[in-house]
Amino acid sequence: MLTALLANSGASYWMPEDASTVAPAVDNVFNFIYYLCLFFFVLVTVLLVLFVMRYRHRRGQERTATAGHSTALELTWTIIPTILVLVIFYFGFRGYLDMAVEPPNPYEINVTAQMWSWSFTYPNGHVDDTLHIPVNTPVRLVLSSKDVIHSLYVPAFRVKRDVVPGRYNRFWAQATRTGEFDLYCAEYCGVNHSTMLSKVVVHEHEDFKKWLEVASNIHGRMSPIEAGELLSKRFGCGQCHSVDGSIIKAPSFKDLFGNKVPLATGQTVEANEEYIRESIYFPLAKVHTGFQPVMPSFQGQLKEEDVGAIIAYLKSISTHYKGDLSQFKVIKGKGGAATQSSTTAPTTRQQSDAGARNAPATSPSTTRPANQ
Ligand code: CUA
């Protein structure tokens, strides 16, 4: 029963299930070396015991001279190990080349490691804390680290690659079966190294496309307040605007909405919807007095719907907003989208890497499924 289960998943008694094109070759070399060691261990142990018994000291026997040089023996124990090592090298090196040389035109996902989490940025700009990939498709992961050395390890794929700050490393794999597999950090990177875990979810081709569409559509599965908070983190607003009233480089987001803003020109305006939208798209139009006019424009990066969500978020953290917040706590998208991606929603931690800001080729707005 257990053996049947294990055989089904590609797992063995001591190997995790195998789910990538290179896994069988890795397992074969491992098993070859393992059984080779086992064979010689048993051989040597049995001979040792036999010799100890057979040639033990007996009463009345004289000690014979030890054996001298034997060319035949020397050749045997030189040639056989040499052949074995060459066989191991041949298959090991072939497997290494297969793992090192990626097929042309892989699907590319950017991976950012930091103490102690993973974030995966898809070609359309979607950021997720779980790795989702299509089955039977070569996938390239471009690895970078924000702090120390990490190592991305997927046991089921039999692939592991260091993630080094200040350089890009590559990792490629082609999944051979759908399912959920563990993803680990395999390089000690601080006190919470052991919690730096994630999952690889391998989808059928069509399911993967659907997943990406749904996951990218944050307005369909989050309330405006949640979406606004996520966007303000993903776009790095927090690098200058605090949310607790303190001043970093710009006015705090706390209690901003509805407050009076003194401008560099001497005028005063109210921080209403119009002002927030203008400040996001045309930040130099009305500059708060006492601050450098350094805010970049988010035109082309944040859509009107995104700006609306950010405004709702700012209302939710301002005591000057007197309206009804409950309307911004409702998810507008239809049921399916919200439940389907509930386990795979991006976390709301800081995700401001550049990849998230560029939404080339397929932006979420153009890939939204018709029925969601
Ligand atoms: Cu990251 Cu260990």
Side-chain angles (χ1 to χ4, degrees):
M1 174 72 188
L2 183 67
T3 348
L5 265 179
L6 288 172
N8 233 349
S9 68
S12 65
Y13 180 67
W14 34 54
M15 292 293 243
E17 54 200 328
D18 70 87
S20 83
T21 47
V22 297
V26 174
D27 291 4
N28 288 342
V29 176
F30 174 86
N31 285 327
F32 180 71
I33 296 173
Y34 176 80
Y35 286 110
L36 192 68
C37 293
L38 195 67
F39 171 77
F40 280 105
F41 171 74
V42 171
L43 182 74
V44 169
T45 309
V46 168
L47 287 180
L48 201 71
V49 172
L50 279 180
F51 288 178
V52 163
M53 281 160 50
R54 190 176 162 143
Y55 300 109
R56 71 184 184 278
H57 177 71
R58 291 195 182 92
R59 211 176 280 276
Q61 268 184 345
E62 280 304 305
R63 208 164 85 180
T64 51
T66 44
H69 178 81
S70 163
T71 305
L73 198 60
E74 294 277 356
L75 284 175
T76 309
W77 69 36
T78 304
I79 291 170
I80 292 178
T82 304
I83 292 172
L84 289 175
V85 166
L86 284 175
V87 168
I88 294 171
F89 174 79
Y90 174 75
F91 287 103
F93 192 62
R94 246 177 68 149
Y96 170 77
L97 287 182
D98 284 343
M99 293 164 102
V101 181
E102 63 186 28
N105 304 320
Y107 185 81
E108 193 170 281
I109 299 170
N110 282 297
V111 182
T112 309
Q114 59 182 314
M115 293 186 272
W116 290 276
S117 62
W118 299 99
S119 55
F120 304 96
T121 307
Y122 293 83
N124 71 356
H126 173 63
V127 182
D128 211 297
D129 58 359
T130 309
L131 178 61
H132 292 256
I133 58 170
V135 73
N136 296 328
T137 308
V139 173
R140 173 202 290 157
L141 303 183
V142 180
L143 311 171
S144 62
S145 167
K146 282 191 179 171
D147 35 51
V148 299
I149 300 177
H150 303 273
S151 180
L152 193 143
Y153 180 34
V154 183
F157 292 174
R158 311 285 193 270
V159 187
K160 174 158 57 180
R161 185 77 74 236
D162 275 4
V163 187
V164 183
R167 63 169 290 175
Y168 293 103
N169 276 359
R170 279 177 178 185
F171 172 115
W172 88 267
Q174 178 168 334
T176 51
R177 64 176 85 227
T178 57
E180 228 179 88
F181 307 100
D182 291 322
L183 185 154
Y184 296 97
C185 176
E187 179 69 50
Y188 183 69
C189 56
V191 284
N192 289 335
H193 156 71
S194 61
T195 64
M196 198 167 159
L197 310 166
S198 186
K199 291 267 179 209
V200 186
V201 184
V202 181
H203 299 266
E204 291 293 349
H205 249 269
E206 284 308 303
D207 288 349
F208 174 73
K209 275 194 205 153
K210 271 189 214 142
W211 168 82
L212 189 58
E213 281 166 6
V214 172
S216 309
N217 174 16
I218 65 167
H219 301 290
R221 63 182 160 81
M222 286 184 180
S223 72
I225 292 179
E226 289 170 323
E229 186 177 5
L230 175 69
L231 286 166
S232 77
K233 288 186 170 155
R234 194 179 280 176
F235 283 81
C237 304
Q239 288 165 15
C240 298
H241 300 275
S242 80
V243 290
D244 60 2
S246 63
I247 299 297
I248 306 170
K249 278 190 212 157
S252 174
F253 277 168
K254 184 164 172 51
D255 295 333
L256 172 69
F257 190 90
N259 204 358
K260 295 275 177 282
V261 179
L263 300 181
T265 57
Q267 295 162 293
T268 300
V269 292
E270 189 194 320
N272 55 16
E273 289 88 347
E274 194 53 45
Y275 170 80
I276 305 285
R277 180 180 176 282
E278 186 179 54
S279 298
I280 290 172
Y281 286 153
F282 311 101
L284 304 184
K286 295 195 175 77
V287 178
H288 192 300
T289 183
F291 292 101
Q292 292 296 313
V294 290
M295 170 151 161
S297 169
F298 288 89
Q299 233 184 341
Q301 299 181 51
L302 286 167
K303 301 188 298 290
E304 293 287 350
E305 202 174 13
D306 300 333
V307 171
I310 290 172
I311 290 173
Y313 170 57
L314 293 182
K315 286 175 177 171
S316 76
I317 55 171
S318 176
T319 51
H320 302 290
Y321 179 69
K322 300 295 178 214
D324 177 16
L325 279 176
S326 63
Q327 58 178 313
F328 304 124
K329 291 179 180 163
V330 182
I331 299 170
K332 278 186 241 152
K334 285 154 198 132
T339 48
Q340 195 173 336
S341 60
S342 60
T343 54
T344 55
T347 53
T348 48
R349 61 159 191 272
Q350 183 85 24
Q351 287 172 326
S352 60
D353 38 309
R357 295 183 198 177
N358 316 321
T362 49
S363 83
S365 66
T366 57
T367 56
R368 193 166 305 150
N371 59 343
Q372 301 287 349

